[in-house]
Amino acid sequence: MPVMTHAESLRRRSSPGLVGLVVAVGSAVVLSGPLGFVPMGAVQPAASSGHSWGLRHPQASPMRTAVNAVSTLSTAGGTVETAGVRSPPETYFALADKGAANAKKSVLGILHQSFVSGCFVGFGGLLSLSIAGNLGAVASASPGLQKFVFAALFPVNLLLILNSGGQLFTGNAATVSMAVIEGKATMSELVKSWTISILGNILGCFTFACAAQYSGLL
């Protein structure tokens, strides 16, 4: 009976699919650095660039944080925290400021952020298919459980995009439109944002799919 060497043992235990997945995700993480992804935190109000068609005239919004936005109530005994979330109007105007900031980025910056976001969407899809699609007898006995597992895993890509500051066409379709309505962005900036972001998302998903196919995961 032949004796398996240590090198052969490592070669058999290493999965080419796993290696390909690690390389693809690592590449996406490396790409997310050079061109200035902004982590979640302080949102700078965007300057007005035209007539406001929205609920108010364009004006500077007070800087708040995306997570620690707390309304306060002044009393004789001091300041009392009354809420830990934004009110609906504050949320709308914060999203309009975010859309204006996205629209005013350079073409290369939008393409970079949307490309990496497309890779993250592909990663979420592959993760969901790999786990939910291999439940075997469990899926046959309980199809609802398989759908639940898929639905629970796919949003991982949205968490990655939010934490890395990426851009999706779906998000820009809402926030950049708000910025235009509020006079914080122009129509030409809206067209640029929508066009580049959807191309970047498609290229990112396609690139990740090619990497998964090459590594044998699909």
Side-chain angles (χ1 to χ4, degrees):
M1 179 177 181
V3 179
M4 184 183 299
T5 65
H6 180 66
E8 291 175 342
S9 175
L10 289 178
R11 191 179 303 112
R12 290 192 178 185
R13 282 185 292 175
S14 63
S15 168
L18 180 60
V19 173
L21 178 60
V22 171
V23 171
V25 175
S27 300
V29 172
V30 171
L31 283 173
S32 65
L35 295 179
F37 272 9
V38 179
M40 293 186 66
V43 177
Q44 296 291 343
S48 172
S49 61
H51 176 69
S52 172
W53 299 340
L55 304 177
R56 67 174 183 184
H57 294 295
Q59 59 185 4
S61 302
M63 185 175 70
R64 295 171 64 96
T65 61
V67 177
N68 298 320
V70 178
S71 301
T72 59
L73 175 65
S74 296
T75 63
T79 300
V80 178
E81 296 183 354
T82 59
V85 295
R86 296 179 189 269
S87 66
E90 287 176 326
T91 301
Y92 170 81
F93 293 126
L95 289 174
D97 289 338
K98 176 62 176 176
N102 285 348
K104 295 182 184 301
K105 291 182 182 294
S106 65
V107 171
L108 185 59
I110 297 174
L111 180 62
H112 170 247
Q113 292 183 340
S114 59
F115 177 86
V116 176
S117 297
C119 291
F120 285 147
V121 171
F123 172 76
L126 180 62
L127 177 67
S128 302
L129 289 173
S130 299
I131 297 180
N134 287 282
L135 292 179
V138 175
S140 301
S142 179
L145 178 61
Q146 183 183 37
K147 295 178 180 178
F148 176 81
V149 172
F150 186 96
L153 292 174
F154 185 75
V156 167
N157 74 85
L158 300 178
L159 298 177
L160 294 172
I161 293 170
L162 287 174
N163 284 303
S164 64
Q167 295 192 39
L168 287 176
F169 170 77
T170 50
N172 286 342
T175 58
V176 180
S177 299
M178 295 176 185
V180 171
I181 291 173
E182 293 301 321
K184 297 175 180 294
T186 63
M187 286 298 298
S188 61
E189 290 172 335
L190 179 142
V191 172
K192 177 190 71 174
S193 174
W194 285 7
T195 303
I196 302 302
S197 61
I198 193 170
L199 288 176
N201 291 160
I202 293 173
L203 288 174
C205 289
F206 178 75
T207 302
F208 190 90
C210 290
Q213 178 68 31
Y214 178 78
S215 62
L217 293 176
L218 289 180

